């Protein structure tokens, strides 16, 4: 079939919205009509050329929601008409990783996913001339139809609005999950969140849910303060307004260091500050941000010797087929908020404007509605 997609043709180039060809689902695959997709900073990271795994031409997008149109042979858990959220972290429930309760990183299709291919090693997308176009993160939601492995689809309730719950496909789950699944924050904790964008705001609402007492937000953009307060931030720090080193300032503000700190910037210098502003003896720092190719983190080993812990999280430690439908219920039941964070919506034709809004810091989340 012919579908409309935004194609990433090369690093640093605008997406090209065009008609491409999509082959139907093969065994254990599902054709999904994407109804809405968010634009995450990770899409921008890959489009910029900073992603060591970035490949072109490809159809980016990993924060979508839609409806099953057709299932391939062997698919047993989904049928046409089901509402779904594609998962860049699948959940096969049988691999060594899925069977280990310590991780959510299902590896059953990771190798081909990283190469922009379906599990059988081929692509379903091509140009009208028949040249292959690669998938991205196994999801490729910047297309009005996409093909996704069955194990990479969470079935969700049919009354949830696509243009809001698409955000659960990455940002919401990553931020809240980092608090609940990865850090396992206790009631009464003090926390610092670096970066108050689409992920950081969800870390804030996760901290609020977990009952943290002090929630410090750090961002260079003062425009982020108001929205962050709405999501539970108790103290705002703009590093450009702090005289001297940020670490002692934050340690003092949190009365000895935070129990938990979170990087949601992807900047390795910020990651170091986050680790070092965690409390001596027990403070844990969680890296969420994705850093560019070649970037490395560093600190004095003494920081770890004296009890601080450095951790990372992908997709908030969530097991998508199990956890995503529950997070959709939390939203529908009013336990978490999504609507105010979706600051802009646009048709696919205007998707590059969504990237411009992210660059200028004007948006939290832009959502493309098909
Ligand atoms: P975003 O662009 O919406 O937000 C980033 C925020 O960081 C902005 O508010 C910006 O002003 C702030 N910032 C930038 N540099 C800063 C600095 N030096 N000090 C303080 N604040 C600074 O991006 P996002 O969508 O929220 O994504 C954040 C990061 O999380 C990205 O690196 C993204 O790739 C990553 N991410 C990781 C996962 C995961 O599973 N680990 C999932 C989603 C996104
Ligand atoms: N490809 C990059 C790493 C990108 C990355 O870390 N992705 C996160 C999700 S970000 C979503 O917005 C992730 O899930 N990582 C685990 C995995 O297996 O990719 C690189 O540096 O090579
Ligand atoms: Zn993302």
């Amino acid at each position: 079939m012919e579908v409309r997609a935004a194609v990433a043709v090369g690093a640093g180039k605008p997406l090209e919205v065009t008609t491409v060809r999509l082959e139907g689902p093969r065994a254990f695959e599902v054709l999904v009509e994407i109804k809405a997709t968010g634009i995450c900073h990770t899409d921008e990271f890959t489009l910029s050329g900073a992603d060591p795994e970035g490949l072109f031409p490809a159809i980016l997008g990993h924060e979508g929601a839609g409806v099953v149109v057709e299932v391939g042979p062997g698919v047993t858990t989904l049928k046409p008409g089901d509402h779904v959220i594609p998962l860049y972290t699948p959940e096969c429930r049988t691999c060594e990783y899925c069977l280990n309760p310590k991780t959510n990183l299902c590896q059953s299709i990771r190798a081909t996913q990283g190469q922009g291919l379906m599990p059988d090693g081929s692509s379903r997308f091509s140009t009208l001339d028949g040249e292959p176009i690669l998938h991205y993160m196994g999801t490729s939601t910047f297309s009005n139809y996409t093909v996704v492995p069955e194990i990479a689809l969470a079935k969700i309730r049919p009354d949830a609005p696509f243009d809001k719950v698409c955000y659960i496909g990455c940002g919401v789950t990553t931020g809240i999950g980092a608090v609940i699944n990865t850090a396992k924050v206790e009631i009464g904790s003090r926390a610092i969140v670096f970066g108050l964008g689409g992920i950081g705001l969800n870390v804030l609402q996760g901290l609020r849910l977990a009952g943290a007492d002090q929630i410090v937000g750090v961002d260079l953009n003062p425009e982020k303060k108001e929205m962050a307060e709405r999501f539970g931030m108790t103290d705002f720090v703009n590093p450009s307004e702090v005289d001297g080193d940020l670490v002692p300032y934050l340690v003092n503000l949190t009365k000895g260091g935070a129990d938990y700190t979170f990087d949601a910037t992807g900047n390795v210098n910020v990651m170091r500050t986050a680790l070092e502003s965690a409390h001596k003896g027990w403070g844990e720092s969680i890296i969420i941000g994705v850093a560019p190719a070649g970037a490395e983190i560093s600190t004095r080993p003494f920081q770890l010797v004296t009890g601080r812990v450095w951790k990372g999280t992908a997709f908030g430690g969530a097991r998508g087929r199990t956890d995503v439908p529950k997070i959709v219920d939390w939203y529908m039941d009013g336990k978490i908020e999504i609507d105010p964070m979706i600051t802009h919506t646009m048709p696919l034709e205007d998707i590059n404007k969504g990237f411009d809004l992210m660059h200028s810091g004007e948006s939290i989340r832009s959502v493309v509605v098909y």
Side-chain angles (χ1 to χ4, degrees), residues 196 201 204 208 215 217 222-237 337:
L196 304 174
L201 289 178
L204 296 179
R208 185 170 60 183
I215 306 176
E223 304 285 321
K224 304 281 171 158
K225 181 169 180 265
E226 193 180 329
M227 184 75 85
E229 281 170 345
R230 198 180 182 308
F231 280 91
M233 181 181 74
T234 58
D235 307 74
F236 178 66
V237 176
E337 277 191 291

Side-chain angles (χ1 to χ4, degrees), residues 35 39 50 54 57 60 99 104 108 113-114 142 153 197 222 226 251 257 263 341 346 365:
K35 297 286 194 181
I39 304 174
L60 305 181
L99 294 177
N104 67 324
S108 57
Q113 182 172 312
F142 293 168
L153 287 166
E226 193 180 329
V251 167
D263 168 71
M341 290 186 275
M346 59 206 59
R365 263 313 189 250

Side-chain angles (χ1 to χ4, degrees), residues 40 42 45 51-53 62 88-89 105 110 137 170 290-291 314-315:
C40 173
T42 306
F45 160 79
D51 183 352
E53 282 189 308
H62 62 280
Y88 60 84
T89 307
L105 294 176
R110 181 63 182 83
M137 291 176 77
C170 184
V290 172
F315 196 40

